Amino acid sequence: MDHPPKRLLSGWKQLSHAGDDTPVLLRYSTAFVIVVIAAVFRVVLDPLLAGRAVYIAFLLAILATARNGGVGPGLTATFLATLTCDYFFLEPRFNLAMRDRDDIDGLIFFAIAGIGASVFAGRLRSALARSRHEEQRLRIVSNTIPQILWTARPDGLRDYVNERFYEFTGANPGEGLEDRWMAFVHPDDRLRIFGHCARVMEAGTDCTCEFRMRRRDGAYRWSECRMVPSRDASGQVTKWFGASTDIQESRELREAARAEAERFRLLVATAPGAIFQWQLRSDGSLAMPFASPAVREICGLNPADLTEDAAPFLDLIQPDDRAATLEKIAESARANSNWRGEFRVLHPVHGELWIAGHAAPLREPDGAVNWFGYLSDVTETKRAELALRDSEHTIRTLLNSASQAILAVNRESKIVLLNPMAGAMFGYETDALKGQSVSLLIPPEIVESHPQFYADYFADPHTRPMGIGTNLEAVRRDGGRFPIEVSLSSIDTAAGPLAVAFVTDITVRRQMEETAKSRAAEINALARRLLTAQEDERRRVSRELHDGTCQQLAHLSIEIGKLAAVAPEGTRSQLRALQVRATQAAEDARHIAHELHPAILDDLGVVASLRSLCNEVSHAHAIAVRFRHGNLPPSISREVGSSLYRIAQQSLQNVAEHSGATWVMVGLVWQQGNLILTVRDDGIGFEPEKIRGSGSLGLIGMEERAQLVKGRLIVSTRRGRGTRIALRIPYQADAT
């Protein structure tokens, strides 16, 4: 993490020592040393120079001294060099006296040149020192600021970056900068930034751009780069100067602000009403400086038309509500309290609308008051309230006129609500039952279990009937009991859940049911006797046909055969034809007798008769009919056996005539005290309800026969899936 204050302090410490000079003694000592060195060189080179160019080495020494030590050491070197030349190298040597006018002029010229060289070299040194000092100051300053500073050549290649660049990126200062800086730009931003920089440099204009730059830890952070060109007198770009600032936090704040603004926009757009600012100015005028677009739906006005003057909005408020609304606003301003209100507006399109509002005030220093809140269209709610009042009135009327007793009971089994019929049914005044325990209306023998029943019901409240098919009773005030049916449901109220009982006095219905049961029993008994009589009559007629008519017809056929044997040739053929007809009549009579009542049912029992029936149907209709039976009682009563046979006979007849089946399976078993007859086929199936509705007596007759022996007939069938008929008759082995 960067610490700009520490970096700045370190930079100023460096800057405070950047202009220190070399110590004075050292600089002047250097002048003496350089003159001595020049004298030595002059002595060494004297044979080669042969006395020529006496002053060249010393002039160079003066320049070097002034360049490194300044004007003072340069002048000192000039003085020392002049004395040295005069004493050691001019005639007479080792003597300061000079006799040659040319030597004197040359020495004076050398002294003047040395002084000039000292001044020139000293000033040059000072200028260079100041330049280095300023450059060092600039470098220190550039290294102490938190931005990355850089310069680039006119073609855009970087030639300088400050230390902040290396600290941020972790790059090696010894590596070249020309194009490596682009390696630290996010890959997704490189092409954009490269193109942008190329266009800017081609145009030679200032620019600012944003991109992501890789930090030394590998994280990318947003930077803002500002680059400015430097031009020469002709206007050509000679240098580019740039600064990159880490804007990650500011960008995050900007993005957060943008997201917050977007959330506010979405909130305003999706709020179930209009968000608004209401303003009461110090001069008493009203305005709506801000209103969300939803205000258009509420009052049909453009929010921009209300920013300076709220009069158009006030004009839409119904006159009956306007004064009260303004008074509430004024009261809110005086008391600095929240404003709440409901009023009607006349919408230009939707007509009269109910508007509800809520706002909090904020008083300004100049005395103005701003309210911030919302307005919502509550027209539907108002209509619902009116409808609810009407509904409550209707419900109250229905409760009061209901023929059922209606009681609402709380968790403590206390009656909290009841209708007039409840009082009349139980023999109490309506108000007298309120607050009483419901156990007052319950028979004593079940009072103890009733609290547990209510606890269980309130633990899992649901609609459920009570008393249907049972002998549920209630107790009147006089102690009399009467049968009831109860429909129990629950409702939630502010005081807690209530169990609501709809009680019906079924005394009259119970009496009618008892009468109906008695009549039904009589009808069943009569039907049973009729079927028994019918079967007996069928048996008698069948026996008479078999033993009487069939025998007589057979005897007649034999006698006719005898006559035909002795009759003349012309009569014989007629008698033979008559014999055939008599034989056929006998066979038809036998078949009728069998259909009325098969003798095998009485002689051999149900199993043999059902097997014979299956064989007959199979041969007559070319259907594969199989019969299987399991364990059966030793004997089956005539009544039950007759019902089993007739239902099987009707079922097989239906299969043969209507189903189109290719096979039929008939089964008879005795399981768990029940005789079970099943007839199953692979036919086309049918819809039982349509068959019953068509008036067909086959299925109805089968069901009635089953009921007469206390059996149950179950028909399972689907179109194209065949049919299964099952008859279940309760039967004990000793039922015969």
Side-chain angles (χ1 to χ4, degrees):
M1 181 178 293
D2 294 326
H3 298 282
K6 291 183 179 180
R7 288 166 50 83
L8 189 61
L9 180 60
S10 175
W12 281 115
K13 286 181 178 180
Q14 295 178 41
L15 190 60
S16 64
H17 298 287
D20 287 351
D21 295 327
T22 305
V24 175
L25 180 60
L26 179 61
R27 287 189 286 125
Y28 281 90
S29 299
T30 302
F32 176 78
V33 172
I34 290 176
V35 170
V36 172
I37 293 173
V40 172
F41 270 96
R42 179 67 182 84
V43 171
V44 173
L45 296 177
D46 187 61
L48 298 175
L49 296 175
R52 296 187 299 272
V54 177
Y55 305 108
I56 293 176
F58 292 102
L59 187 61
L60 292 175
I62 292 169
L63 288 172
T65 303
R67 171 65 180 83
N68 292 311
V71 176
L75 293 175
T76 301
T78 300
F79 174 74
L80 292 176
T82 301
L83 290 179
T84 301
C85 287
D86 183 22
Y87 187 79
F88 289 102
F89 298 105
L90 294 178
E91 293 298 335
R93 296 189 179 189
F94 309 111
N95 191 343
L96 296 176
M98 292 180 292
R99 299 175 180 87
D100 190 345
R101 184 65 183 176
D102 291 335
D103 290 339
I104 295 173
D105 293 340
L107 188 61
I108 294 173
F109 179 78
F110 170 73
I112 294 172
I115 293 171
S118 296
V119 173
F120 171 77
R123 289 184 177 179
L124 178 62
R125 175 187 180 279
S126 298
L128 290 175
R130 286 195 299 271
S131 176
R132 285 195 302 272
H133 180 65
E134 291 301 324
E135 181 180 354
Q136 187 176 10
R137 286 170 60 89
L138 289 174
R139 189 175 296 274
I140 292 172
V141 170
S142 70
N143 289 333
T144 56
I145 64 175
Q147 283 81 15
I148 295 175
L149 300 181
W150 55 268
T151 62
R153 298 199 296 266
D155 58 1
L157 295 179
R158 271 44 170 188
D159 55 11
Y160 165 76
V161 292
N162 64 348
E163 290 182 3
R164 173 62 178 155
F165 173 81
Y166 300 108
E167 293 174 359
F168 184 86
T169 62
N172 186 354
E175 298 176 356
L177 292 173
E178 282 76 8
D179 286 327
R180 291 199 66 255
W181 71 273
M182 189 63 77
F184 299 100
V185 178
H186 194 284
D188 295 343
D189 298 340
R190 288 174 189 169
L191 186 60
R192 173 176 61 84
I193 294 301
F194 185 81
H196 180 73
C197 290
R199 289 190 297 272
V200 168
M201 289 182 179
E202 183 179 357
T205 58
D206 300 359
C207 82
T208 301
C209 59
E210 293 183 2
F211 56 89
R212 287 164 290 181
M213 195 168 181
R214 189 178 71 230
R215 196 167 57 185
R216 65 189 309 150
D217 60 1
Y220 283 93
R221 295 178 64 83
W222 280 97
S223 294
E224 180 183 70
C225 180
R226 170 74 174 170
M227 53 189 296
V228 178
S230 175
R231 303 177 186 275
D232 58 16
S234 63
Q236 294 297 318
V237 175
T238 59
K239 201 79 167 176
W240 288 94
F241 295 89
S244 296
T245 305
D246 188 332
I247 60 169
Q248 183 70 31
E249 285 74 16
S250 63
R251 187 181 177 91
E252 290 175 354
L253 291 174
R254 189 166 67 242
E255 290 297 328
R258 185 182 296 113
E260 191 67 26
E262 179 63 14
R263 282 195 293 271
F264 178 74
R265 187 190 67 79
L266 292 175
L267 176 64
V268 169
T270 58
I275 308 299
F276 75 100
Q277 176 189 353
W278 185 266
Q279 186 178 69
L280 174 62
R281 300 191 183 99
S282 56
D283 61 2
S285 60
L286 293 170
M288 195 179 288
F290 170 80
S292 63
V295 78
R296 193 188 305 274
E297 297 295 327
I298 289 177
C299 63
L301 296 175
N302 187 350
D305 297 336
L306 303 174
T307 56
E308 296 297 330
D309 187 6
F313 180 80
L314 296 174
D315 292 341
L316 293 178
I317 300 177
Q318 289 284 22
D320 294 343
D321 301 339
R322 190 179 303 153
T325 301
L326 291 174
E327 177 57 32
K328 286 186 177 181
I329 293 174
E331 177 60 28
S332 173
R334 286 192 297 270
N336 198 31
S337 59
N338 289 352
W339 168 80
R340 291 180 182 273
E342 288 186 356
F343 50 88
R344 292 165 295 170
V345 299
L346 187 61
H347 194 282
V349 176
H350 305 301
E352 184 178 88
L353 299 178
W354 274 96
I355 307 300
H358 179 211
L362 177 64
R363 189 173 297 279
E364 302 294 342
D366 63 354
V369 181
N370 285 298
W371 285 266
F372 300 90
Y374 71 91
L375 297 171
S376 59
D377 183 351
V378 294
T379 304
E380 293 301 323
T381 303
K382 280 293 183 180
R383 291 173 181 170
E385 289 178 0
L386 295 175
L388 180 61
R389 292 195 192 100
D390 293 342
S391 177
E392 289 177 348
H393 176 73
T394 302
I395 292 173
R396 178 65 61 183
T397 302
L398 289 174
L399 288 176
N400 293 339
S401 60
S403 60
Q404 289 179 304
I406 303 175
L407 302 97
V409 182
N410 61 17
R411 288 181 179 272
E412 290 73 33
S413 299
K414 301 294 184 181
I415 300 172
V416 298
L417 178 68
L418 71 161
N419 67 340
M421 177 53 69
M425 182 180 293
F426 292 98
Y428 292 89
E429 294 293 332
T430 302
D431 293 338
L433 277 177
K434 283 185 179 180
Q436 297 294 326
S437 173
V438 74
S439 61
L440 192 66
L441 313 176
I442 299 174
E445 60 269 19
I446 63 172
V447 167
E448 292 184 1
S449 63
H450 207 261
Q452 185 60 45
F453 167 80
Y454 262 86
D456 294 342
Y457 179 79
F458 278 109
D460 181 22
H462 59 280
T463 301
R464 55 162 295 183
M466 296 175 58
I468 298 177
T470 63
N471 294 321
L472 186 63
E473 292 183 326
V475 179
R476 292 191 177 91
R477 183 177 183 179
D478 59 7
R481 297 189 177 193
F482 60 99
I484 60 171
E485 282 183 356
V486 180
S487 177
L488 197 61
S489 61
S490 67
I491 59 174
D492 291 325
T493 68
L498 297 177
V500 181
F502 296 83
V503 183
T504 303
D505 184 348
I506 60 171
T507 301
V508 175
R509 192 178 77 192
R510 186 63 60 82
Q511 292 173 352
M512 294 177 65
E513 288 175 352
E514 293 297 330
T515 302
K517 287 181 181 179
S518 176
R519 297 292 175 84
E522 293 176 0
I523 292 173
N524 286 337
L526 178 60
R528 190 177 294 107
R529 288 196 296 271
L530 286 174
L531 283 178
T532 301
Q534 184 184 46
E535 287 297 326
D536 290 343
E537 184 64 17
R538 282 172 173 266
R539 187 180 297 106
R540 185 188 65 77
V541 173
S542 174
R543 182 69 67 182
E544 288 181 357
L545 282 174
H546 185 273
D547 295 342
T549 304
C550 290
Q551 296 298 330
Q552 291 177 6
L553 289 173
H555 181 70
L556 177 61
S557 175
I558 293 171
E559 292 299 325
I560 292 175
K562 290 178 180 180
L563 288 175
V566 298
E569 188 65 29
T571 309
R572 184 178 303 166
S573 60
Q574 295 178 354
L575 289 174
R576 292 296 183 191
L578 184 59
Q579 183 184 18
V580 171
R581 293 176 64 183
T583 301
Q584 184 63 43
E587 181 63 26
D588 291 344
R590 187 196 67 77
H591 181 72
I592 292 172
H594 180 75
E595 289 292 326
L596 285 172
H597 187 78
I600 192 174
L601 184 62
D602 294 331
D603 298 338
L604 300 179
V606 174
V607 173
S609 62
L610 288 176
R611 182 179 290 109
S612 175
L613 175 63
C614 291
N615 291 334
E616 290 176 6
V617 173
S618 180
H619 287 93
H621 300 282
I623 301 174
V625 183
R626 294 183 59 189
F627 172 71
R628 293 189 302 181
H629 69 87
N631 181 36
L632 295 173
S635 61
I636 298 176
S637 67
R638 176 181 293 179
E639 182 181 20
V640 173
S642 177
S643 295
L644 289 170
Y645 182 84
R646 291 301 180 190
I647 290 175
Q649 184 183 42
Q650 183 64 52
S651 298
L652 291 174
Q653 182 179 343
N654 292 341
V655 171
E657 293 179 358
H658 306 294
S659 73
T662 60
W663 59 264
V664 183
M665 180 67 70
V666 180
L668 180 65
V669 295
W670 184 45
Q671 294 178 351
Q672 299 177 354
N674 292 284
L675 282 170
I676 302 174
L677 171 69
T678 58
V679 180
R680 185 163 56 91
D681 65 69
D682 66 341
I684 61 175
F686 65 95
E687 297 181 20
E689 297 304 322
K690 288 187 176 180
I691 296 298
R692 292 188 181 94
S694 65
S696 174
L697 299 178
L699 185 59
I700 297 175
M702 293 165 63
E703 291 175 341
E704 289 182 351
R705 279 188 176 275
Q707 291 175 2
L708 291 175
V709 291
K710 299 181 180 179
R712 182 185 179 193
L713 187 72
I714 302 174
V715 180
S716 303
T717 179
R718 288 181 62 185
R719 280 289 183 186
R721 299 293 182 88
T723 302
R724 182 179 183 275
I725 295 177
L727 172 65
R728 183 183 294 269
I729 301 174
Y731 193 82
Q732 301 299 325
D734 56 353
T736 55

